[in-house]
Amino acid sequence: MFLLAEAVVFLAAATFVVPLSKRLGFGSVIGYLAAGILLGPWGIGLVPDAGEVLHFAEIGVVMLLFVIGLELQPARLRVLRRSVFGLGFGQVIVTGVALTVLANYWLHDWAAAFVVGFGLSLSSTAFVLQMLAEKKDLRSSAGRASFGVLLFQDLAVIPLIALVPLLGSAGGDSATPVLDLAKSIGLLIIIVIGARYLLRPALRLAASAQLQEVFTAATLLLVLGSAVLMEALHLSMGLGAFLAGVLVADSEYSFQLEADITPFKGLLLGLFFVAVGMSANLGLLLTEPGIVLAITAGLIAIKTALLFPLGKWYGLSGRDSIKLGVTLAQGGEFAFVLLTAAVAEGLLDSSLSQRLILAVTLSMALTPFLYLAGARFADVMIEETEPARPFDPVEETDHDVVIAGFGRFGQIVARILAMKGIPFTALENSTEQVDFVRRFGNKIYYGDASKVELLRSARVDKAKIFVLAVEDVEESMRIARVVRQHFPNIAIYARARNRPHAFKLMDLGVAGLIRDTFLSSIELTRQVLVELGSSAEEALDAVEFFREHDEKSLQQQQAIHHDEEALVQSAKESRDQLRRLFDLDAAEAARKA
């Protein structure tokens, strides 16, 4: 079990080594790896047992797969089907077969070669997605293609893990694993169908408590519970988390779930990279440097060489095909799982497994450098003579407008936007309101819009306008501060409950605001004036004159609203000025009559 001292050591290493790595341009992943090597048995040896750390840190990969599932709504999966089931399937088969043939030439054992070949064909989901996110390259053609391939690899690892006992000499009766696999698949189907109808009511119950810690606990229960359940079925924990994410991807709770899990995912994923660095047997670089480096270089070269024509075949440009190759050239974390299982089943000896694991680790460590070098080479050497064929165009889910608060005020804004065909993302913190609005077919998500993680999940950084329609003043101010601090470029249009609320919003730089009942009161007054005998033009001029005067005084009083005495005096002067102006208007009207 983790000791408190070890936790302090990990946190200290991440705090100091990772920022240094990012400042040097290497990215956070290299920083975590370096921290692991520094802490491990080949460094200063503060944490000698890397195996236990690595086992615990796999939860970070599980959480990553859950977030991937959350972002993979069924509609988007249909759009990505070509890259997932086309390019992804092709990459696993072509690379796996090529590496299997090469491994058999070395091992003279087809069963062992199969595990090695297909194990090394898998790339690192954790490394690649983290790197592409940092480089802001996930939405490029190469980034989307890489995501599709990684997703298929995550699915392919399930049958690969199930096949290891069938191939191993320790497998015993070959019928038993097949029967177990069939039972597991049957139970998995039942679980997926059941979860489809049970997850939303469970999340609604947790959200109804209106306590952030309760919903966070429900999120962790969903992720870890699905992972543990899959492990009990002798399936991948990552598959369980991924399926759980997919099942709630199109629910109203998806943004809040992602916001709640992100801090845990980031920390544990970093710990996973640290554990990978710790587990690398660097002694082999001293005793067998030629073999280890040859395996590493061969793995990178073969995968890059095979991915380039695959990328071209599936419609990528030459530049993007090179980027795809260098992005996925490394081995992945699931290679550790497959190689360890192969040793347990008697397929591989431990010394060979250690060489392969070190080669995979080195390939992962080299990935950021390969990516930078490959991108630069592609930009310099590749000249596109014709545009590439469209490759899995992903439906844009980033909306120009985000509405926080979907009560009476927010609904009117939303209805007019919908009438004009302008898409928007709506956030609401009341589960009852979310359920009510969703019954009428509107797209709305549950969550606390004052949480920066939720706002990032809702793609506020990609939006142009943030409509702050929350009724509660304190909640409105919390949201406004968070949005202004973390998303300074977005324009905020806010609902102000009253004059003091308007002053506070204006202090934050919110220029576009409307006070509750202000415009409706003016419109009502216009109708009253008409009913009392004023012409429609006179009534409109009167209320328009008042509106302009009041808004001008609002701007003037905002500068002194912290000084109560000055504010009272300003209000009196404004009233007197307005009265004098009305008297002058009345006298002018009488003179003309």
Side-chain angles (χ1 to χ4, degrees):
M1 294 297 291
F2 286 111
L3 299 176
L4 183 60
E6 289 178 329
V8 171
V9 169
F10 288 129
L11 292 173
T15 300
F16 294 105
V17 178
V18 175
L20 177 62
S21 176
K22 291 198 70 173
R23 181 166 295 184
L24 293 174
F26 297 144
S28 64
V29 173
I30 293 296
Y32 284 121
L33 277 176
I37 293 172
L38 180 66
L39 296 176
W42 297 98
I44 57 179
L46 283 180
V47 185
D49 185 9
E52 187 175 359
V53 178
L54 186 61
H55 182 68
F56 178 81
E58 286 175 1
I59 298 175
V61 180
V62 167
M63 291 183 173
L64 173 66
L65 291 171
F66 175 74
V67 173
I68 292 172
L70 274 180
E71 295 178 349
L72 200 66
Q73 297 181 0
R76 194 177 182 195
L77 183 59
R78 287 193 294 272
V79 174
L80 282 171
R81 63 187 181 276
R82 190 163 177 263
S83 60
V84 175
F85 301 107
L87 181 58
F89 176 79
Q91 185 275 327
V92 170
I93 294 299
V94 172
T95 308
V97 169
L99 291 173
T100 297
V101 172
L102 186 62
N104 184 65
Y105 179 78
W106 182 18
L107 300 174
H108 305 290
D109 182 345
W110 281 109
F114 178 86
V115 175
V116 171
F118 278 87
L120 296 181
S121 73
L122 305 176
S123 305
S124 175
T125 300
F127 263 70
V128 172
L129 291 184
Q130 182 87 349
M131 181 185 71
L132 291 178
E134 287 182 2
K135 303 294 183 184
K136 295 180 172 57
D137 208 17
L138 265 174
R139 290 179 175 271
S140 67
S141 296
R144 292 199 301 267
S146 299
F147 177 83
V149 172
L150 290 169
L151 180 55
F152 185 84
Q153 289 180 358
D154 291 337
L155 298 173
V157 76
I158 310 308
L160 290 176
I161 291 175
L163 282 172
V164 172
L166 297 175
L167 298 173
S169 58
D173 182 9
S174 61
T176 303
V178 174
L179 184 60
D180 290 342
L181 179 61
K183 289 180 179 178
S184 298
I185 293 174
L187 287 171
L188 180 61
I189 294 172
I190 294 173
I191 290 170
V192 168
I193 294 173
R196 185 72 181 173
Y197 298 99
L198 294 177
L199 282 179
R200 270 187 178 167
L203 290 172
R204 186 181 299 114
L205 178 63
S208 65
Q210 293 292 304
L211 294 172
Q212 183 61 43
E213 60 271 21
V214 173
F215 197 84
T216 302
T219 303
L220 291 173
L221 175 62
L222 173 61
V223 178
L224 299 180
S226 59
V228 170
L229 187 58
M230 287 300 104
E231 190 176 39
L233 296 175
H234 306 292
L235 297 172
S236 165
M237 290 194 299
L239 174 66
F242 172 76
L243 287 175
V246 171
L247 288 171
V248 294
D250 60 346
S251 76
E252 60 270 35
Y253 304 104
S254 58
F255 287 165
Q256 186 65 45
L257 287 166
E258 184 175 352
D260 284 349
I261 208 68
T262 295
F264 299 98
K265 180 207 73 175
L267 197 58
L268 288 170
L269 201 55
L271 181 60
F272 172 79
F273 297 140
V274 171
V276 169
M278 289 172 55
S279 62
N281 185 359
L282 298 183
L284 292 174
L285 281 177
L286 301 176
T287 59
E288 302 176 357
I291 294 176
V292 173
L293 293 178
I295 296 173
T296 305
L299 173 64
I300 292 172
I302 290 171
K303 294 184 75 172
T304 302
L306 292 175
L307 276 163
F308 177 78
L310 280 172
K312 291 285 288 182
W313 179 262
Y314 278 92
L316 288 177
S317 65
R319 181 181 293 108
D320 287 331
S321 295
I322 289 178
K323 291 175 69 175
L324 174 70
V326 295
T327 299
L328 302 177
Q330 78 293 129
E333 52 273 1
F334 288 118
F336 302 147
V337 178
L338 286 168
L339 293 173
T340 303
V343 171
E345 296 293 339
L347 281 168
L348 297 176
D349 61 72
S350 60
S351 61
L352 174 59
S353 175
Q354 285 188 13
R355 294 190 194 102
L356 294 173
I357 286 175
L358 179 58
V360 169
T361 304
L362 290 176
S363 71
M364 294 164 85
L366 289 171
T367 297
F369 304 104
L370 290 170
Y371 176 84
L372 293 175
R376 184 167 299 178
F377 172 81
D379 290 337
V380 173
M381 301 299 295
I382 301 293
E383 182 178 352
E384 305 297 347
T385 58
E386 59 180 276
R389 299 194 308 273
F391 185 86
D392 275 359
V394 178
E395 292 178 349
E396 285 296 333
T397 56
D398 300 333
H399 296 152
D400 287 341
V401 182
V402 176
I403 303 173
F406 214 68
R408 294 171 299 167
F409 196 100
Q411 287 174 31
I412 292 174
V413 176
R415 287 169 59 191
I416 297 174
L417 291 175
M419 181 182 69
K420 297 292 291 181
I422 300 173
F424 58 88
T425 299
L427 307 173
E428 171 59 48
N429 201 25
S430 166
T431 54
E432 292 82 2
Q433 184 72 354
V434 169
D435 290 341
F436 172 76
V437 173
R438 279 217 163 205
R439 280 203 297 271
F440 292 90
N442 295 297
K443 205 70 173 177
I444 180 173
Y445 297 91
Y446 167 79
D448 182 356
S450 66
K451 304 296 182 183
V452 66
E453 295 87 358
L454 177 73
L455 296 176
R456 288 199 177 103
S457 299
R459 307 279 194 257
V460 171
D461 56 322
K462 306 294 183 183
K464 296 178 181 177
I465 294 173
F466 188 89
V467 178
L468 181 52
V470 174
E471 182 175 5
D472 184 78
V473 174
E474 292 303 317
E475 184 183 356
S476 171
M477 291 307 302
R478 280 199 308 272
I479 296 171
R481 292 188 193 100
V482 170
V483 173
R484 180 55 66 222
Q485 178 183 352
H486 294 278
F487 310 97
N489 296 324
I490 193 171
I492 301 177
Y493 286 79
R495 165 194 190 181
R497 285 282 292 167
N498 45 41
R499 220 173 180 84
H501 186 197
F503 290 147
K504 292 177 182 178
L505 290 168
M506 293 166 71
D507 286 344
L508 289 176
V510 178
L513 56 86
I514 292 294
R515 284 165 283 159
D516 272 8
T517 71
F518 181 65
L519 294 181
S520 55
S521 299
I522 287 176
E523 173 59 21
L524 179 67
T525 306
R526 185 194 66 80
Q527 295 180 24
V528 169
L529 291 175
V530 171
E531 185 67 24
L532 291 174
S534 297
S535 68
E537 184 179 353
E538 290 173 340
L540 183 61
D541 287 344
V543 296
E544 186 64 20
F545 180 83
F546 173 81
R547 184 185 67 80
E548 291 176 359
H549 175 80
D550 190 77
E551 288 183 350
K552 182 179 178 181
S553 66
L554 183 72
Q555 297 291 333
Q556 293 171 343
Q557 292 171 5
Q558 187 262 334
I560 58 172
H561 76 92
H562 295 292
D563 185 342
E564 187 174 347
E565 234 178 85
L567 186 62
V568 170
Q569 182 61 32
S570 174
K572 288 180 179 178
E573 292 173 358
S574 178
R575 257 195 328 269
D576 292 341
Q577 181 187 14
L578 184 64
R579 188 179 299 112
R580 287 195 300 271
L581 290 171
F582 266 104
D583 288 344
L584 288 172
D585 284 346
E588 180 66 17
R591 186 183 64 79
K592 288 180 178 180

